[in-house]
Amino acid sequence: MGARLAIDGGTPVRETMLPYGRQWVDEVDVQAVVEVLRSDWLTTGPKVREFEERVAEYVGAREAVAVNSGTAALHIAAFAAGIGPGDEIITTPLTFAASANCVLYLGGRPVFADVCPDTLNIDPEDVACKVTPKTKAIITVDFTGQPCDYEAIRALTAQHGLMVIEDAAHALGAEYNGQSVGTLSELTAFSFHPVKHITTGEGGMVVTDGPDLAAKMRVFRTHGITADFRQRAEAGSWVYEMVALGYNYRLPDINCALGLAQMSKLDEWLARRREIAARYTEAFALMPEVDMPQVLPGTNPAWHLYVIELNLKRLRVGRKEVFAALRAENIGVNVHYIPVYWHPYYQALGYERGLCPAAEAAYERLISLPMFPAMTDEDVGDVITAIYKVISAYRGRR
Ligand SMILES: *Cc1c(COP(=O)(O)O)cnc(C)c1O
């Protein structure tokens, strides 16, 4: 007999709720922000360039453009890629809605390609099936922090002349065949939301090797206004020109100072995420009720998330019950993601359920476990204990 589940009135594995993700802010971060608050610049000042250069250097890209969210990063990248009305952009449904919304912002149409059942990343074969003469770009998502199959994706984009926008919100610090994420695609977007690898409160960045793409994004992030100072000086210093319908997507110096301080801890935090992932993988390897997405040889994931897939044929209950039981044990599990086109907004646009069967089947089985660098070994142990406890109680057939 196993211990009684907390959801049935037993004692929970831990006393306090362990969240699935959490930022790590220390005194050095606080001081960096305070210094900016006491300086001349609150918004676009020296910290923006410094932060952009730091991230560009880290990932090995030539250019970086900071913006005030990962969503804005996707929007400016899609703008730079020239996406507009009539264009089709192929992307995955197993992601946060922002990956596809950026296409809608510009009047394009997202086309969903299914995922590979083993990695849960976009399936290049299904992408190939969905390419039409209207296809302009592919938006890949490095799900949980594992890079997609870029060799296959590059072969496709070369054949059809497509751009790749990589949504790397999960993948800062990940590698593919020895190349770092940020150098794999024409445009790579990061998010600095507090659950991501580093945080600026809210924030995002696009990196690219294309100076023209970067210039377009810099204009778009500040109302579509050009900042050619020479031209301004010639015409009179008050003159500026709005050349595109841009937005105010600027990331303030306050936030960039936080981002810079966070960058110095990124390597240590990535190492810790990889350590936690290895412990989970080892603990669940011998549990037939729990599967894990496959990590392909040659990839070094950044582990923003650690997801398990329940083997529902070996359980008496569904994902909903397992999820509730884990929450009752004070393990803050989550689910990533509801297929994008299942959301009412997309349903109203005419997308139908059943479009991507592998992504939908995966969604029914997925649970995200707590994964953040500040987790202690004891926290990791609590998660493993709770999974064993809950799975043992529900083992069997329906
Ligand atoms: C977090 C995230 C985003 C959006 O980033 P925000 O900074 O929250 O706007 C986009 N795509 C994916 C896959 C994400 O996880």
Side-chain angles (χ1 to χ4, degrees):
M1 267 287 291
R4 177 141 51 126
L5 295 181
I7 202 165
D8 296 329
T11 310
V13 165
R14 50 183 287 133
E15 276 172 21
T16 56
M17 183 62 82
L18 181 68
Y20 90 91
R22 194 181 191 284
Q23 74 277 11
W24 187 340
V25 174
D26 64 17
E27 213 35 53
V28 176
D29 299 308
V30 172
Q31 280 313 313
V33 171
V34 167
E35 224 171 88
V36 170
L37 289 172
R38 296 206 167 104
S39 78
D40 291 336
W41 301 92
L42 294 187
T43 185
T44 308
K47 294 293 173 193
V48 178
R49 250 297 146 69
E50 220 182 300
F51 184 40
E52 288 174 340
E53 281 166 8
R54 185 74 173 272
V55 174
E57 194 194 336
Y58 186 88
V59 303
R62 283 206 199 108
E63 304 265 357
V65 182
V67 286
N68 52 26
S69 71
T71 303
L74 288 163
H75 191 184
I76 66 166
F79 172 80
I83 290 169
D87 294 334
E88 293 178 356
I89 285 72
I90 302 173
T91 190
T92 169
L94 205 59
T95 183
F96 186 55
S99 313
N101 290 349
C102 64
V103 175
L104 296 177
Y105 294 159
L106 292 159
R109 181 165 177 85
V111 172
F112 295 98
D114 211 347
V115 298
C116 301
D118 53 355
T119 61
L120 303 183
N121 269 331
I122 198 165
D123 179 357
E125 281 182 30
D126 201 41
V127 174
C129 293
K130 302 218 157 130
V131 172
T132 75
K134 290 185 186 165
T135 308
K136 178 110 184 196
I138 304 175
I139 299 178
T140 58
V141 177
D142 302 324
F143 182 66
T144 73
Q146 172 168 216
C148 298
D149 181 357
Y150 286 103
E151 216 165 282
I153 288 163
R154 271 191 220 127
L156 265 173
T157 54
Q159 187 187 342
H160 300 283
L162 308 175
M163 282 265 240
V164 180
I165 299 171
E166 181 174 348
D167 181 344
H170 297 185
L172 179 60
E175 292 163 316
Y176 174 84
N177 288 346
Q179 291 172 283
S180 110
V181 160
T183 63
L184 300 168
S185 308
E186 276 99 341
L187 294 150
T188 304
F190 296 109
S191 162
F192 307 130
H193 180 276
V195 298
K196 304 288 165 57
H197 290 83
I198 62 158
T199 192
T200 56
E202 296 277 1
M205 200 177 286
V206 182
V207 299
T208 181
D209 276 350
D212 295 346
L213 293 171
K216 266 191 195 170
M217 293 191 284
R218 291 207 170 91
V219 169
F220 195 66
R221 98 173 140 186
T222 184
H223 309 281
I225 290 171
T226 52
D228 189 331
F229 295 105
R230 242 175 328 157
Q231 190 187 327
R232 263 195 222 186
E234 274 166 26
S237 59
W238 68 88
V239 173
Y240 64 85
E241 286 180 314
M242 194 198 115
V243 296
L245 187 61
Y247 290 75
N248 179 352
Y249 279 161
R250 294 185 301 264
L251 186 63
D253 257 36
I254 299 167
N255 305 66
C256 291
L258 177 56
L260 273 163
Q262 294 256 307
M263 276 303 284
S264 57
K265 288 162 275 200
L266 177 55
D267 278 330
E268 203 180 305
W269 289 347
L270 279 164
R272 180 60 182 155
R273 283 178 183 272
R274 288 174 178 139
E275 221 170 67
I276 295 167
R279 262 194 83 190
Y280 281 158
T281 302
E282 192 190 344
F284 307 136
L286 297 175
M287 279 189 101
E289 296 83 6
V290 169
D291 298 329
M292 278 90 63
Q294 202 186 328
V295 175
L296 295 182
T299 67
N300 186 13
W303 297 109
H304 160 56
L305 298 174
Y306 191 99
V307 301
I308 58 170
E309 293 175 275
L310 298 175
N311 189 345
L312 296 172
K313 288 192 202 101
R314 290 177 175 269
L315 294 168
R316 289 190 289 111
V317 298
R319 190 260 311 274
K320 195 170 93 186
E321 289 79 9
V322 174
F323 184 95
L326 287 167
R327 279 280 177 96
E329 301 295 341
N330 279 328
I331 305 300
V333 286
N334 215 311
V335 173
H336 299 91
Y337 291 94
I338 298 166
V340 171
Y341 59 80
W342 281 20
H343 288 295
Y345 189 83
Y346 279 82
Q347 292 283 298
L349 291 177
Y351 294 88
E352 281 175 17
R353 287 188 180 220
L355 215 52
C356 298
E360 294 185 18
Y363 163 65
E364 303 288 357
R365 308 168 56 199
L366 280 169
I367 292 183
S368 304
L369 305 184
M371 168 58 90
F372 54 97
M375 279 175 80
T376 64
D377 288 342
E378 201 179 8
D379 292 334
V380 181
D382 287 344
V383 177
I384 294 168
T385 302
I387 295 276
Y388 270 83
K389 184 180 175 188
V390 169
I391 295 297
S392 306
Y394 290 145
R395 186 171 280 148
R397 283 168 196 281
R398 262 189 275 193

